[in-house]
Structure formats: C-alpha cells, structure tokens
Amino acid sequence: MNYSFNTSIKIFKWRHWDIRWNRWNLISVSTLMAFCLLTVFVGQYIINYQTTKLPAAQFYEMDNSMKTWLDSDVPLQILNITADISNTLEDQRDDNKNELIGYTLHSNFVGSSIENFSKFIPENGGTPIRSIIVTTWRSGSTFVGDVLNSVPANFYHYEPLLDYEIIQIRGPPLAEEVLERIKNLLNCNYAPLDRYLQYGQEHTWLFTHNTRLWEKCQRKPHICWLHEFLKPFCKLFPFQSMKVVRLRLKLFEELLDDKKLNVKILYLVRDPRGTLQSRKHREWCPSNIDCYDPVRLCSDLISDYSASIRFHKKYPDQFRVIRYEDLSLDPYEHVEKLLHFFGFQLHPNIIKFLDTHTKVNYGGVSSTYRDSKSTPFHWRNDLTFDEVVKMQRACKSAMKLWGYVRAYNETHQKYFKPIRSKFELTRRNESGVRILV
Ligand SMILES: *[C@@H]1O[C@H](CO)[C@@H](O)[C@H](O)[C@H]1NC(C)=O
Ligand SMILES: *[C@@H]1O[C@H](CO)[C@@H](O)[C@H](O)[C@H]1NC(C)=O
Ligand SMILES: *[C@@H]1O[C@H](CO)[C@@H](O)[C@H](O)[C@H]1NC(C)=O
Ligand SMILES: *[C@@H]1O[C@H](CO)[C@@H](O)[C@H](O)[C@H]1NC(C)=O
C-alpha cells in the first residue's frame, strides 16, 4: 500500500513538472487520487472488520502484523490475552465473594457460611450445586431460567443445544453427543466444544443470558469465546444452572445417575394449547414439524410423564416437576419451594426479580416481564375453537395425565379454568387404579 501510494505521488510530480497541464493529466490525476482514496477506505474497512469480527487469537496476530504494515504512530493497542484473562478471573472472584456476603443456603446445607461456599467452587476442588430445567419451547423456561440466575454467584449455561436448530432429540444418534456436550459444560470443560463456541460467536444470545459472564465479555470481547478463558471462569462459580428445551426428559437419566455430577432436575410442563399458541407467533416454528405439530408435542409430554414417574421414585431428592400455570398463579410460593429443592434460599435479588417480572405486561414476546396470572391463559382468547379442538384431539391423553381440562365450546373456552387445581404425579397400580407416586 505504501509503495503504490509513493509511486503515484512521483508520477504526479513528474507530470506536473515536465509536461503541460492538460485534460489528459487531469483525468489521470483524478483517477489516481480516487484509487488512493479507495485504498485508504478499503484499508480502514479491513481494520474495522478485524477489530470487530475476528476471533481473539487471530485478532492478536493481526495486530502485530498491522503494526509493521502501518505507520508506527498508528495508535494500536497490543492485547495481552494472558493478562486479560487473569485480571478478569480476579475481578469475578471478587464479584462472587461480594454477591455471596450474607447469603446462606437452605437447611439442606446447614451452616453454610461464606467460607463454606468453598466446597461448592470447582476452582477449589469443590462440587457446585448444579440445576437443570428441562422443558420444551415456549413453556415458561425463560422465566424459570432467569429466576435461577438471580441466585447470587450463579453461572447460567442457558440452552446449550441452540445450534441443533428446531428439532427434538428423542434418542440415538444425536442423544449421545448432546449428553456429552452437557456433561462437558457442567464440568466447565470447554476445550472440546468448538462447534458450540463457533455458533455462539454468531448467535451471541447463547451467552447473553449468562449475565455474569456477559458483563465480562462486553468489556473484553477478545477473550469471551476462548476455551482458555471460559474453563477457569466457569470454575469460579459455586452454582451452575442450565435449561434444555431440545432433549427429552428420559435421556437425562444418565446425568441423574452420575453421582459425581450431583445434578438436580426440574421438569417444567405447560398446557400444550398454551405452548402451541405461543409458538404460533415465532417465525422459526411453522416450518419445523417438531415445533408446530400437536401430535409430536403431546407424545413427548406423555413420554416425559413416564420418565417423571420413574425419576420421582428413583431420584426423590434430585427430581421435581412443576406446571407453568401453577407457578404463574402463585409465583412467590412456588419459586421459594423450587429454590429450596435446589438448595437455595430466597434472596433479595430474587424477590426483586419476581416483583418486576410478575405484575405488569411490558416488553416484547420473548420478554419475561409479564402479568404472570393472565399470561399462561392467553391462548383462550387467541386461538379459535376449531384450533383448540384439533389440539385437544391430538393431546387428549397428555392433557389428562398433566391435569389439563378440555374446553367444550367456544363460549366455554373463553372463561373456563383450563387446569385441575391440584396436580400430582400418579401411576396405575397392578389393579389398574391410579395412585399417587
Ligand atoms: C502479558 O501479561 C503477563 C501477565 O501480566 C506478563 O507476564 C507478560 O509478560 C505479558 N506479555 C506481554 C507480551 O506483554
Ligand atoms: C461452616 O460454617 C459454620 C457456621 O458458620 C462453621 O462453624 C464451620 O466451621 C464452617 N466450616 C468450614 C469448613 O468452614
Ligand atoms: C358450552 O359448554 C358449557 C359447559 O359444558 C355448557 O354449560 C354450555 O351450555 C355450552 N354452551 C353452548 C352454547 O353449547
Ligand atoms: C391399587 O390401589 C387401590 C386403591 O388404593 C387399592 O384398593 C388396591 O388394592 C391396589 N391394588 C394393588 C394390587 O396394590
């Protein structure tokens, strides 16, 4: 670039001194100047592009080569990735300590003072409290996920299977690789997760819900997607949560069985009519059968019900179910119960979150700022009776199992209460009678 720029100046000078100024000169000079300007603009664009789009490792190299390539007085800051990582880790250690001041766990973990959190911090050889929310799309998991993330010093893995797009995983061949990924994440092992990290760089909402991580990413974007940073960062957190909407419940048995992992699972279920109505508004849904088809949704709900019964018996301390509607009608009571199940106490942050997220309707469709008492029942007004009848036909058994009531006609649909008041998991005993699990 320097070379062509200098040459063009020489040509200009030479012509200027030795040949009379004429129309031909003017055209060539203009062309040359236009070329120079273009070169400068393209160069600038490349620099901008590199500082904003390239992953961190390349960014670092590019800086060095640009330094020799460009004038030395161009103000380019050389990034020291090692220093940035260790400073960010130090900051987060402090943040976590501050957040945990005065926080105690539920009596499941008696006498947990600030020092004792150490036994939950992977960096110190501890085992974190790991909580997973399992559900499907548009069933209230954004809300529950954010509640768990408002626990102090929580690291939120969000939905780790975003890159699988709009499919449900019900068994082989995908089940094995996604369980492997989930285990890697829960162990803060980011090195084998190239595909996940690559996807995240183009779809940053993979990380934006992980508020504590995202805050650091915004300050130091060049280290955000490096497994060399993510691994030690994740290991600072005593609490780790995740929500999964693409993997059916029965496949989580392997995780519940893994005693070293020590994971607790909450299965969140929603009235299929509410789920399907909410999905209708998402543009990613109508072209994907796992999303729009009531038959598939409801056979998943049946399969999840049998898994729930098995897990409830086999892992009584590690597994719970909740209906989104029950949670929404009484968020304070249910959130407290759920937190106790995971081992947490209410915290002023969580109460603040509930105060601001359950009483008013504002924000877009993906917002969790809702009037929680009416949101779950919107579908009664938004769906036509014909649509409801189709769903109810496909979902008869699923609705019966999960305690959802049928709408009988158009007027009934508008005012009835779609849930049976008290829901409990039941199974049939040998004589075919339904009994509580
Ligand atoms: C980067 O930072 C680390 C730690 O602060 C330091 O030891 C190292 O010398 C620095 N490297 C460069 C190239 O400045
Ligand atoms: C845990 O906390 C209790 C009560 O605050 C304290 O008595 C105990 O020594 C602590 N244990 C450890 C290992 O720090
Ligand atoms: C609608 O269903 C309700 C409940 O079964 C019933 O009481 C009512 O008479 C029905 N209305 C019409 C117009 O069929
Ligand atoms: C099944 O449950 C019913 C009601 O609790 C009970 O009367 C019956 O004896 C049970 N049958 C068996 C085989 O346990």
Side-chain angles (χ1 to χ4, degrees), residues 86-259:
S86 74
N87 293 339
T88 307
L89 294 178
E90 203 42 56
D91 283 355
Q92 191 59 48
R93 267 185 214 105
D94 287 346
D95 292 355
N96 285 355
K97 259 191 211 136
N98 289 332
E99 275 201 70
L100 288 168
I101 288 174
Y103 191 60
T104 49
L105 292 177
H106 187 241
S107 48
N108 290 354
F109 303 99
V110 204
S112 296
S113 72
I114 179 107
E115 291 80 17
N116 292 353
F117 284 118
S118 178
K119 71 178 188 206
F120 300 112
I121 299 178
E123 182 184 48
N124 307 339
T127 304
I129 295 184
R130 298 185 170 108
S131 351
I132 307 183
I133 301 157
V134 179
T135 183
T136 182
W137 303 287
R138 310 307 297 169
S139 299
S141 63
T142 307
F143 176 74
V144 183
D146 287 351
V147 166
L148 274 184
N149 193 42
S150 55
V151 167
N154 182 68
F155 189 85
Y156 185 13
H157 294 278
Y158 193 57
E159 159 60 284
L161 310 178
L162 275 180
D163 53 316
Y164 287 86
E165 309 284 344
I166 310 303
I167 57 160
Q168 283 300 332
I169 298 162
R170 303 180 174 93
L174 287 178
E176 203 177 328
E177 71 180 57
V178 304
L179 281 165
E180 199 56 38
R181 176 186 292 188
I182 290 174
K183 274 188 267 180
N184 276 326
L185 284 170
L186 292 173
N187 285 306
C188 299
N189 187 10
Y190 284 84
L193 302 182
D194 277 350
R195 173 176 156 178
Y196 169 85
L197 294 174
Q198 196 60 46
Y199 183 87
Q201 286 173 67
E202 286 138 34
H203 306 82
T204 49
W205 59 90
L206 187 65
F207 277 9
T208 54
H209 290 263
N210 190 348
T211 46
R212 293 168 188 88
L213 169 62
W214 193 244
E215 191 221 338
K216 302 294 185 247
C217 281
Q218 282 172 304
R219 284 194 216 167
K220 300 257 178 347
H222 57 287
I223 60 172
C224 180
W225 305 95
L226 295 179
H227 65 86
E228 295 89 340
F229 163 64
L230 290 165
K231 178 176 181 159
F233 188 80
C234 166
K235 286 186 176 229
L236 303 175
F237 291 82
F239 313 135
Q240 311 242 343
S241 65
M242 180 185 280
K243 73 153 176 165
V244 183
V245 301
R246 288 166 172 79
L247 184 63
R248 294 331 310 147
L249 185 61
K250 61 179 184 209
L251 298 167
F252 284 85
E253 185 146 13
E254 192 181 321
L255 301 183
L256 287 166
D257 261 336
D258 187 338
K259 293 302 163 206

Side-chain angles (χ1 to χ4, degrees), residues 428-435:
R428 284 188 203 285
N429 71 5
E430 287 75 7
S431 21
V433 181
R434 283 222 158 263
I435 54 166

Side-chain angles (χ1 to χ4, degrees), residues 139-140 268-270 322-329 375-376 404:
S139 299
L268 177 67
V269 64
R270 183 179 182 183
I322 189 166
R323 292 188 307 188
Y324 175 58
E325 292 78 10
D326 294 325
L327 177 67
S328 304
L329 288 173
T375 304
Y404 295 111

Side-chain angles (χ1 to χ4, degrees), residues 60 80 82-83 86:
Y60 185 57
N80 185 337
T82 321
S86 74

